[in-house]
């Protein structure tokens, strides 16, 4: 298993319950795919460095996890089809 981290930005129009539901959804994808979540850090609502699709702020969340190399591909697919995700990135965190 390899160590990864993902950070994603949710649209600011989502309410707190929808943000929590999306975070739980992504955690479920990791855990159901055989991954182990090490840390979940919810940064909250912050201003973006630049405007994306006329949006200048969003809800940031960082998740550190360990998983097999196939899991990030599935997580990326889920990020892409989920409404409300403004941006996301998954990085291999091994040195």
């Amino acid at each position: 298993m390899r160590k990864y981290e993902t950070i994603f930005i949710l649209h600011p129009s989502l309410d707190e319950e929808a943000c929590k539901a999306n975070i739980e959804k992504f955690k479920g994808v990791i855990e159901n795919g055989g991954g182990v979540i090490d840390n979940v850090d919810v940064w909250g609502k912050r201003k973006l460095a630049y405007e994306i699709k006329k949006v200048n702020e969003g809800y940031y969340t960082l998740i550190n996890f360990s998983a097999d190399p196939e899991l990030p591909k599935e997580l990326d697919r889920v990020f892409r089809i989920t409404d409300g995700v403004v941006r996301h990135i998954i990085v291999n965190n091994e040195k």
Side-chain angles (χ1 to χ4, degrees), residues 50-87:
Y50 54 90
E51 193 172 281
I52 302 170
K53 297 180 185 175
K54 300 185 181 180
V55 174
N56 58 6
E57 57 184 16
Y59 293 100
Y60 284 72
T61 305
L62 171 73
I63 300 177
N64 296 35
F65 64 98
S66 301
D68 293 326
E70 296 81 30
L71 183 67
K73 294 174 190 168
E74 174 62 18
L75 186 59
D76 183 56
R77 185 188 72 78
V78 173
F79 278 135
R80 290 180 189 276
I81 63 172
T82 302
D83 290 337
V85 176
V86 177
R87 281 283 193 271

Side-chain angles (χ1 to χ4, degrees), residues 19-59:
C19 289
K20 286 182 181 180
N22 277 325
I23 292 169
E24 290 301 317
K25 174 181 176 181
F26 302 136
K27 285 171 54 178
V29 169
I30 294 168
E31 291 170 343
N32 293 337
V36 177
I37 295 177
D38 301 326
N39 183 33
V40 177
D41 193 8
V42 179
W43 295 355
K45 195 173 194 177
R46 296 191 175 213
K47 188 170 171 73
L48 300 177
Y50 54 90
E51 193 172 281
I52 302 170
K53 297 180 185 175
K54 300 185 181 180
V55 174
N56 58 6
E57 57 184 16
Y59 293 100

